[in-house]
Amino acid sequence: MFKKVLHKHWLAWLDKRIPPHSSHALNMRSVFILPSRFGWGFIVMCMCLFLLGTNYQNNLMLLLSYLLLSVMLLTLFYSYQNFAAIALSASSPKTVFANTSAHLTLNRMQHSGYKTTPEGLLQAHWLEINKRQLPKRKDTSTITFDIGNREQRLTVPLLLHTRGEHRLPRITFKSAYPFGLYHCWAHLDFDVKIIVYPEPKAGPVYEVVHNTEDAVGGKEDDRQGNEDFFALTDFIEGEPLNRVAWKQVAKTGNWVVKQFSEQKSDDVFLSLPTNTPLEEGLSALTQKIVSMQSQGLNYGLKLGSATFTPNNSISHMHQCLSALATYPNAPFDPSSAKSSSHASISPAGTLAASLAAQAADNSDFQGRSK
C-alpha cells in the first residue's frame, strides 16, 4: 500500500516537472544523472589510491588519484552535455488490433540550445505499464539505438492486449556515454493516445439485408448501367453514339441503341449477435468488417445508438472499427475518427490488403443469424 501511494506521488511529481508534450528538448529539469556501478567502483578506487598515497607518502600515487578524480568530474559534465543535446518529437502511432504490437515513432530534431549532435547508444523502455489495459513489464524490452548515426527516427514497440483508447505511458531514455561512469536518463511523456481495435475472430454476426430492386425490373432511368446487356431500344436524339448498335443500323437501317442492366448490391447492416459475450461479438464483427472490406462489399453497422450507413471506403472501415473499439465505455464521435491517427495506419489504404490473408482463412464462415 505504501509503495502504491509513493509511486502515485512520484508520478504526480513527474507530471509537474516534465509535463506531457508532443515534443521534448532535454534540459536540466528533465535530465537525471548519477554514477553507474562502474562509476561508484571508480570512485572507491580513487579513494583507495588516495589513502595509500598519503599512508606511504607516495606522490605519484596521489597524483594518479587526482588525475582519475579529474577524469571522473570531466566525464560528469560531458555526459550531461551529450545527453541533454537530444530533442525528440512523436508521430501519431498507427492504429492496431488487440494482441498486436503498436509502434511509437520518435523523430530526432535539432536542439535549439546545442550546436553539437549527441553520440553513443541510447536505450529506451516504457516506464510503467497499466496492468488493466497494457501488458506487464516483462512483456516489454529495452530498445537500443545508435544516436550517433544519421537515422532520424526511433521506433519503440509496445504489445497491446485489450481494445479501446489507450494513453501510452512515459518512455525512459538512458545513456552511459562516453565511458560508462555515469547513467543519464529522462522520463518523457509524449501525450500520445492510440485506438486499439478488437482482435478479429470468426464468430456469429447478426446481419440485416435491405434488398433493392434489380435494374431490369426497375424504372427506365435505372437501366443505364454498364454491366449486362438488357435490350435494344429506339434511338433518341441526344443519346451517346457509343451506345448505338451499328451492326443493326447497317442491316435494317433503323437506329437503335443498346441498354444495359446493372445488378444493384444489397445493403447489409451488421450488429452484435444476441446470447454472445460482448468481446466475442465485437471480435466477430471486426472479422466480418475486415472480410467485407477486402471483398469490396458495402456494409453498415448498428451499434447501440450509433448507425453507420453502408459504404466500403477505408475511412468508413476505420469509423466502424473505432466504434467497436470504444463500445460501450466511451461515446464515439464519427468526425473525430476522420481527423485522428486512423489515416496513418495505412497511407496507401493497405490495411484491408494486409488482413486479407487473415480474412481468407475464415472466408468460409458466412453464417447469418437473424
Side-chain angles (χ1 to χ4, degrees):
M1 184 65 182
F2 177 74
K3 290 183 178 180
K4 292 183 179 179
V5 174
L6 184 62
H7 184 69
K8 182 179 180 181
H9 285 286
W10 179 62
L11 292 179
W13 177 79
L14 273 180
D15 290 337
K16 292 181 180 180
R17 187 175 181 85
I18 313 174
H21 202 271
S22 59
S23 61
H24 289 275
L26 300 186
N27 51 35
M28 294 187 64
R29 292 185 58 85
S30 56
V31 175
F32 305 91
I33 182 169
L34 279 177
S36 61
R37 291 183 179 179
F38 175 63
W40 286 115
F42 193 87
I43 294 175
V44 172
M45 183 188 66
C46 292
M47 294 176 61
C48 293
L49 289 176
F50 177 78
L51 292 176
L52 290 174
T54 55
N55 187 32
Y56 291 100
Q57 297 182 355
N58 191 326
N59 293 333
L60 292 178
M61 191 171 294
L62 289 175
L63 180 62
L64 178 61
S65 64
Y66 295 150
L67 178 62
L68 294 178
L69 185 60
S70 63
V71 171
M72 186 76 181
L73 293 176
L74 290 175
T75 305
L76 171 64
F77 293 101
Y78 189 77
S79 298
Y80 169 78
Q81 289 182 351
N82 180 77
F83 187 73
I86 298 175
L88 300 171
S89 64
S91 302
S92 298
K94 297 179 180 180
T95 313
V96 296
F97 292 93
N99 292 322
T100 57
S101 294
H103 293 83
L104 177 62
T105 301
L106 304 175
N107 302 313
R108 280 181 52 195
M109 305 181 302
Q110 180 64 38
H111 200 297
S112 58
Y114 293 88
K115 296 182 180 180
T116 59
T117 57
E119 298 180 2
L121 298 179
L122 182 67
Q123 296 179 343
H125 66 81
W126 301 99
L127 174 62
E128 63 168 348
I129 301 298
N130 188 318
K131 294 182 179 180
R132 182 176 62 86
Q133 296 178 344
L134 301 175
K136 297 181 180 180
R137 186 61 174 269
K138 64 181 182 180
D139 294 335
T140 62
S141 58
T142 301
I143 308 299
T144 302
F145 307 98
D146 184 5
I147 58 175
N149 58 21
R150 295 183 177 274
E151 293 183 2
Q152 299 296 319
R153 289 190 177 184
L154 314 177
T155 302
V156 184
L158 177 62
L159 181 63
L160 299 170
H161 290 294
T162 58
R163 65 178 178 90
E165 186 178 23
H166 301 306
R167 189 176 186 275
L168 299 185
R170 290 179 177 268
I171 302 181
T172 300
F173 295 95
K174 290 184 179 181
S175 176
Y177 186 84
F179 302 129
L181 296 175
Y182 292 93
H183 276 164
C184 300
W185 73 92
H187 306 301
L188 304 182
D189 188 348
F190 290 94
D191 196 17
V192 173
K193 293 183 179 180
I194 183 174
I195 293 182
V196 181
Y197 298 150
E199 183 181 7
K201 291 183 180 179
V205 174
Y206 186 77
E207 301 181 25
V208 178
V209 181
H210 292 267
N211 296 315
T212 56
E213 292 184 353
D214 186 84
V216 176
K219 298 180 181 179
E220 183 71 22
D221 294 338
D222 296 333
R223 301 177 185 178
Q224 304 299 328
N226 297 316
E227 294 186 21
D228 300 324
F229 174 77
F230 173 66
L232 294 175
T233 59
D234 294 334
F235 176 80
I236 300 177
E237 186 175 0
E239 288 186 319
L241 295 179
N242 59 353
R243 292 183 176 270
V244 176
W246 295 107
K247 292 184 179 180
Q248 299 295 331
V249 174
K251 289 181 180 180
T252 62
N254 296 327
W255 283 61
V256 291
V257 294
K258 299 177 181 179
Q259 296 292 343
F260 298 88
S261 64
E262 181 178 4
Q263 187 74 24
K264 295 184 178 179
S265 60
D266 296 335
D267 291 338
V268 179
F269 281 90
L270 308 176
S271 60
L272 285 171
T274 57
N275 301 326
T276 301
L278 177 61
E279 296 302 326
E280 294 183 7
L282 294 175
S283 296
L285 280 176
T286 303
Q287 174 66 43
K288 189 66 176 179
I289 289 175
V290 171
S291 177
M292 297 185 71
Q293 178 69 32
S294 62
Q295 298 175 21
L297 303 177
N298 288 344
Y299 57 90
L301 178 64
K302 292 184 178 180
L303 192 65
S305 59
T307 301
F308 301 88
T309 57
N311 201 333
N312 64 348
S313 63
I314 295 296
S315 61
H316 174 69
M317 179 187 66
H318 286 308
Q319 291 181 13
C320 294
L321 294 179
S322 297
L324 296 179
T326 56
Y327 179 83
N329 298 326
F332 176 72
D333 184 9
S335 60
S336 63
K338 297 180 181 180
S339 59
S340 64
S341 61
H342 298 158
S344 66
I345 186 172
S346 181
T350 58
L351 174 63
S354 64
L355 295 169
Q358 184 178 7
D361 296 336
N362 301 295
S363 60
D364 295 334
F365 177 80
Q366 299 292 340
R368 299 182 177 182
S369 56
K370 297 184 179 180

Short mmCIF file of all heavy atoms in Angstrom, two decimals, residues 45 68 147 152 154 163 174 182 195 219 280 303 347-348 353 362 365:
data_model
loop_
_atom_site.label_atom_id
_atom_site.label_comp_id
_atom_site.label_asym_id
_atom_site.label_seq_id
_atom_site.Cartn_x
_atom_site.Cartn_y
_atom_site.Cartn_z
N MET A 45 37.94 3.28 -6.00
CA MET A 45 39.34 3.06 -6.35
C MET A 45 40.16 4.33 -6.18
O MET A 45 41.30 4.30 -5.68
CB MET A 45 39.44 2.58 -7.80
CG MET A 45 40.86 2.24 -8.23
SD MET A 45 41.00 1.91 -9.99
CE MET A 45 40.61 3.52 -10.66
N LEU A 68 42.69 10.64 -11.86
CA LEU A 68 41.48 9.84 -12.08
C LEU A 68 40.23 10.56 -11.59
O LEU A 68 39.16 10.46 -12.20
CB LEU A 68 41.63 8.49 -11.38
CG LEU A 68 42.72 7.55 -11.93
CD1 LEU A 68 42.78 6.26 -11.10
CD2 LEU A 68 42.48 7.23 -13.39
N ILE A 147 22.42 6.77 -31.57
CA ILE A 147 22.03 8.15 -31.90
C ILE A 147 23.15 8.90 -32.60
O ILE A 147 22.97 10.06 -32.97
CB ILE A 147 21.60 8.91 -30.64
CG1 ILE A 147 22.72 8.92 -29.61
CG2 ILE A 147 20.33 8.33 -30.06
CD1 ILE A 147 22.40 9.75 -28.39
N GLN A 152 17.12 9.44 -38.31
CA GLN A 152 16.40 10.45 -37.55
C GLN A 152 15.12 9.91 -36.91
O GLN A 152 14.37 10.68 -36.34
CB GLN A 152 16.04 11.62 -38.47
CG GLN A 152 17.26 12.30 -39.08
CD GLN A 152 18.14 12.95 -38.03
OE1 GLN A 152 17.64 13.56 -37.10
NE2 GLN A 152 19.45 12.82 -38.19
N LEU A 154 13.31 6.89 -34.37
CA LEU A 154 13.43 5.82 -33.39
C LEU A 154 12.06 5.20 -33.21
O LEU A 154 11.07 5.92 -33.03
CB LEU A 154 13.95 6.36 -32.06
CG LEU A 154 15.16 7.31 -32.11
CD1 LEU A 154 15.49 7.79 -30.71
CD2 LEU A 154 16.35 6.63 -32.75
N ARG A 163 -8.70 -3.95 -26.30
CA ARG A 163 -9.22 -2.93 -27.20
C ARG A 163 -9.49 -1.64 -26.42
O ARG A 163 -9.47 -1.62 -25.19
CB ARG A 163 -10.53 -3.41 -27.84
CG ARG A 163 -11.66 -3.61 -26.84
CD ARG A 163 -12.94 -4.04 -27.49
NE ARG A 163 -13.99 -4.25 -26.48
CZ ARG A 163 -14.82 -3.31 -26.06
NH1 ARG A 163 -14.73 -2.09 -26.55
NH2 ARG A 163 -15.73 -3.57 -25.14
N LYS A 174 17.91 6.23 -21.58
CA LYS A 174 19.14 6.13 -20.80
C LYS A 174 20.35 6.19 -21.72
O LYS A 174 20.29 5.76 -22.87
CB LYS A 174 19.18 4.82 -20.01
CG LYS A 174 18.19 4.75 -18.86
CD LYS A 174 18.37 3.45 -18.09
CE LYS A 174 17.41 3.36 -16.92
NZ LYS A 174 17.60 2.09 -16.16
N TYR A 182 28.78 7.26 -15.74
CA TYR A 182 27.52 7.87 -15.30
C TYR A 182 26.37 7.32 -16.13
O TYR A 182 26.54 6.97 -17.31
CB TYR A 182 27.57 9.40 -15.45
CG TYR A 182 28.54 10.07 -14.50
CD1 TYR A 182 29.85 10.34 -14.90
CD2 TYR A 182 28.14 10.45 -13.23
CE1 TYR A 182 30.74 10.95 -14.04
CE2 TYR A 182 29.03 11.07 -12.36
CZ TYR A 182 30.31 11.31 -12.77
OH TYR A 182 31.19 11.92 -11.92
N ILE A 195 -5.87 4.11 -30.57
CA ILE A 195 -7.09 3.30 -30.55
C ILE A 195 -6.72 1.88 -30.97
O ILE A 195 -6.13 1.68 -32.03
CB ILE A 195 -8.17 3.88 -31.47
CG1 ILE A 195 -8.64 5.24 -30.93
CG2 ILE A 195 -9.34 2.94 -31.59
CD1 ILE A 195 -9.73 5.88 -31.75
N LYS A 219 -37.10 1.19 -62.83
CA LYS A 219 -37.53 2.23 -63.74
C LYS A 219 -36.62 2.30 -64.95
O LYS A 219 -35.55 1.75 -64.99
CB LYS A 219 -37.52 3.57 -63.00
CG LYS A 219 -38.48 3.59 -61.82
CD LYS A 219 -38.42 4.94 -61.13
CE LYS A 219 -39.36 4.97 -59.92
NZ LYS A 219 -39.30 6.27 -59.23
N GLU A 280 -16.52 -11.46 -27.61
CA GLU A 280 -16.59 -12.38 -28.75
C GLU A 280 -17.40 -11.77 -29.89
O GLU A 280 -17.05 -11.91 -31.07
CB GLU A 280 -17.19 -13.70 -28.30
CG GLU A 280 -16.33 -14.48 -27.32
CD GLU A 280 -16.95 -15.81 -26.96
OE1 GLU A 280 -17.97 -16.18 -27.57
OE2 GLU A 280 -16.41 -16.50 -26.06
N LEU A 303 -24.65 -0.16 -33.85
CA LEU A 303 -24.01 -0.48 -32.58
C LEU A 303 -24.54 0.49 -31.53
O LEU A 303 -24.16 1.65 -31.50
CB LEU A 303 -22.50 -0.36 -32.69
CG LEU A 303 -21.67 -0.92 -31.55
CD1 LEU A 303 -21.83 -2.44 -31.44
CD2 LEU A 303 -20.19 -0.58 -31.73
N PRO A 347 -1.24 4.54 -45.21
CA PRO A 347 -1.37 5.67 -46.10
C PRO A 347 -1.87 5.30 -47.48
O PRO A 347 -2.55 6.07 -48.13
CB PRO A 347 0.06 6.23 -46.16
CG PRO A 347 0.72 5.74 -44.92
CD PRO A 347 0.11 4.42 -44.64
N ALA A 348 -1.53 4.12 -47.94
CA ALA A 348 -1.96 3.69 -49.27
C ALA A 348 -3.21 2.85 -49.22
O ALA A 348 -3.58 2.23 -50.20
CB ALA A 348 -0.84 2.91 -49.96
N ALA A 353 -5.79 -5.03 -47.33
CA ALA A 353 -4.97 -5.99 -48.08
C ALA A 353 -4.07 -6.79 -47.15
O ALA A 353 -3.86 -7.98 -47.34
CB ALA A 353 -4.13 -5.26 -49.12
N ASN A 362 -10.99 -17.39 -42.80
CA ASN A 362 -12.33 -17.55 -42.25
C ASN A 362 -13.41 -17.15 -43.26
O ASN A 362 -14.54 -16.85 -42.89
CB ASN A 362 -12.49 -16.69 -40.99
CG ASN A 362 -11.49 -17.09 -39.94
OD1 ASN A 362 -11.51 -18.18 -39.42
ND2 ASN A 362 -10.60 -16.14 -39.62
N PHE A 365 -16.74 -18.90 -43.46
CA PHE A 365 -17.77 -18.64 -42.47
C PHE A 365 -18.62 -17.46 -42.96
O PHE A 365 -18.18 -16.34 -42.96
CB PHE A 365 -17.15 -18.30 -41.12
CG PHE A 365 -18.17 -17.94 -40.07
CD1 PHE A 365 -18.85 -18.93 -39.43
CD2 PHE A 365 -18.42 -16.63 -39.79
CE1 PHE A 365 -19.78 -18.59 -38.47
CE2 PHE A 365 -19.34 -16.29 -38.85
CZ PHE A 365 -20.02 -17.27 -38.19
#
